[in-house]
mmCIF file of all heavy atoms in Angstrom:
data_model
loop_
_atom_site.group_PDB
_atom_site.id
_atom_site.type_symbol
_atom_site.label_atom_id
_atom_site.label_comp_id
_atom_site.label_asym_id
_atom_site.label_seq_id
_atom_site.Cartn_x
_atom_site.Cartn_y
_atom_site.Cartn_z
ATOM 1 N N PHE Q 12 18.563 4.010 11.328
ATOM 2 C CA PHE Q 12 19.805 3.729 10.691
ATOM 3 C C PHE Q 12 20.285 2.324 11.281
ATOM 4 O O PHE Q 12 19.950 1.985 12.427
ATOM 5 C CB PHE Q 12 20.959 4.749 11.053
ATOM 6 C CG PHE Q 12 20.717 6.062 10.445
ATOM 7 C CD1 PHE Q 12 19.999 7.107 11.094
ATOM 8 C CD2 PHE Q 12 21.190 6.335 9.215
ATOM 9 C CE1 PHE Q 12 19.930 8.258 10.669
ATOM 10 C CE2 PHE Q 12 20.951 7.608 8.628
ATOM 11 C CZ PHE Q 12 20.249 8.585 9.339
ATOM 12 N N VAL Q 13 21.014 1.562 10.389
ATOM 13 C CA VAL Q 13 21.463 0.316 10.792
ATOM 14 C C VAL Q 13 22.756 0.087 9.990
ATOM 15 O O VAL Q 13 22.913 0.511 8.819
ATOM 16 C CB VAL Q 13 20.547 -0.835 10.508
ATOM 17 C CG1 VAL Q 13 20.216 -1.045 9.058
ATOM 18 C CG2 VAL Q 13 21.007 -2.167 11.250
ATOM 19 N N GLN Q 14 23.720 -0.528 10.737
ATOM 20 C CA GLN Q 14 24.980 -1.008 10.066
ATOM 21 C C GLN Q 14 24.779 -2.098 9.118
ATOM 22 O O GLN Q 14 24.063 -3.022 9.498
ATOM 23 C CB GLN Q 14 26.024 -1.117 11.148
ATOM 24 C CG GLN Q 14 27.464 -0.834 10.847
ATOM 25 C CD GLN Q 14 27.723 0.595 10.493
ATOM 26 O OE1 GLN Q 14 27.171 1.486 11.208
ATOM 27 N NE2 GLN Q 14 28.491 0.891 9.488
ATOM 28 N N GLU Q 15 25.468 -2.101 8.021
ATOM 29 C CA GLU Q 15 25.413 -3.197 7.105
ATOM 30 C C GLU Q 15 25.811 -4.578 7.875
ATOM 31 O O GLU Q 15 26.605 -4.523 8.722
ATOM 32 C CB GLU Q 15 26.430 -2.995 6.015
ATOM 33 C CG GLU Q 15 26.169 -3.954 4.802
ATOM 34 C CD GLU Q 15 27.226 -3.579 3.698
ATOM 35 O OE1 GLU Q 15 28.193 -2.800 3.950
ATOM 36 O OE2 GLU Q 15 27.189 -4.164 2.614
ATOM 37 N N LYS Q 16 25.032 -5.569 7.633
ATOM 38 C CA LYS Q 16 25.169 -6.891 8.167
ATOM 39 C C LYS Q 16 24.574 -7.163 9.536
ATOM 40 O O LYS Q 16 24.564 -8.156 10.022
ATOM 41 C CB LYS Q 16 26.669 -7.410 8.254
ATOM 42 C CG LYS Q 16 27.306 -7.429 6.820
ATOM 43 C CD LYS Q 16 28.755 -7.808 6.908
ATOM 44 C CE LYS Q 16 29.499 -7.754 5.485
ATOM 45 N NZ LYS Q 16 30.923 -8.007 5.573
ATOM 46 N N GLU Q 17 24.057 -5.996 10.099
ATOM 47 C CA GLU Q 17 23.455 -6.147 11.393
ATOM 48 C C GLU Q 17 21.884 -6.356 11.215
ATOM 49 O O GLU Q 17 21.399 -6.058 10.118
ATOM 50 C CB GLU Q 17 23.631 -4.880 12.255
ATOM 51 C CG GLU Q 17 25.130 -4.582 12.353
ATOM 52 C CD GLU Q 17 25.442 -4.170 13.845
ATOM 53 O OE1 GLU Q 17 24.560 -3.471 14.455
ATOM 54 O OE2 GLU Q 17 26.601 -4.405 14.208
ATOM 55 N N ALA Q 18 21.268 -6.726 12.336
ATOM 56 C CA ALA Q 18 19.783 -6.950 12.273
ATOM 57 C C ALA Q 18 19.112 -5.685 12.742
ATOM 58 O O ALA Q 18 19.658 -4.864 13.463
ATOM 59 C CB ALA Q 18 19.348 -8.135 13.085
ATOM 60 N N ALA Q 81 20.850 -9.560 8.891
ATOM 61 C CA ALA Q 81 21.934 -9.351 8.021
ATOM 62 C C ALA Q 81 21.671 -8.202 6.926
ATOM 63 O O ALA Q 81 21.668 -8.491 5.797
ATOM 64 C CB ALA Q 81 22.345 -10.513 7.286
ATOM 65 N N SER Q 82 21.469 -6.954 7.467
ATOM 66 C CA SER Q 82 21.076 -5.879 6.588
ATOM 67 C C SER Q 82 22.068 -5.702 5.376
ATOM 68 O O SER Q 82 23.329 -5.785 5.467
ATOM 69 C CB SER Q 82 20.983 -4.609 7.356
ATOM 70 O OG SER Q 82 20.001 -4.672 8.367
ATOM 71 N N GLN Q 83 21.474 -5.312 4.286
ATOM 72 C CA GLN Q 83 22.269 -4.981 3.046
ATOM 73 C C GLN Q 83 21.958 -3.631 2.668
ATOM 74 O O GLN Q 83 20.969 -3.072 2.892
ATOM 75 C CB GLN Q 83 21.876 -6.089 1.844
ATOM 76 C CG GLN Q 83 22.091 -7.412 2.313
ATOM 77 C CD GLN Q 83 21.520 -8.426 1.208
ATOM 78 O OE1 GLN Q 83 20.885 -7.990 0.220
ATOM 79 N NE2 GLN Q 83 21.708 -9.742 1.525
ATOM 80 N N LYS Q 111 17.767 3.395 6.544
ATOM 81 C CA LYS Q 111 18.980 3.679 5.900
ATOM 82 C C LYS Q 111 20.013 2.709 6.394
ATOM 83 O O LYS Q 111 20.341 2.623 7.614
ATOM 84 C CB LYS Q 111 19.450 5.088 6.214
ATOM 85 C CG LYS Q 111 20.876 5.475 5.571
ATOM 86 C CD LYS Q 111 20.852 5.670 4.088
ATOM 87 C CE LYS Q 111 22.086 6.128 3.544
ATOM 88 N NZ LYS Q 111 22.174 6.158 1.935
ATOM 89 N N VAL Q 112 20.664 1.914 5.489
ATOM 90 C CA VAL Q 112 21.630 0.987 5.861
ATOM 91 C C VAL Q 112 23.043 1.655 5.569
ATOM 92 O O VAL Q 112 23.316 2.080 4.393
ATOM 93 C CB VAL Q 112 21.532 -0.323 5.106
ATOM 94 C CG1 VAL Q 112 22.665 -1.325 5.436
ATOM 95 C CG2 VAL Q 112 20.217 -0.940 5.374
ATOM 96 N N LEU Q 113 23.950 1.622 6.520
ATOM 97 C CA LEU Q 113 25.193 2.230 6.465
ATOM 98 C C LEU Q 113 26.316 1.173 6.133
ATOM 99 O O LEU Q 113 26.311 0.193 6.724
ATOM 100 C CB LEU Q 113 25.527 2.952 7.729
ATOM 101 C CG LEU Q 113 24.503 4.035 8.218
ATOM 102 C CD1 LEU Q 113 24.746 4.487 9.628
ATOM 103 C CD2 LEU Q 113 24.328 5.138 7.175
ATOM 104 N N ALA Q 114 27.182 1.661 5.271
ATOM 105 C CA ALA Q 114 28.277 0.766 4.864
ATOM 106 C C ALA Q 114 29.423 0.768 5.957
ATOM 107 O O ALA Q 114 29.515 1.641 6.660
ATOM 108 C CB ALA Q 114 28.910 1.161 3.514
#
Side-chain angles (χ1 to χ4, degrees):
Chain Q
F12 292 95
V13 65
Q14 208 65 40
E15 196 178 7
K16 298 179 187 174
E17 304 220 331
S82 297
Q83 301 172 355
K111 175 74 174 172
V112 180
L113 305 172

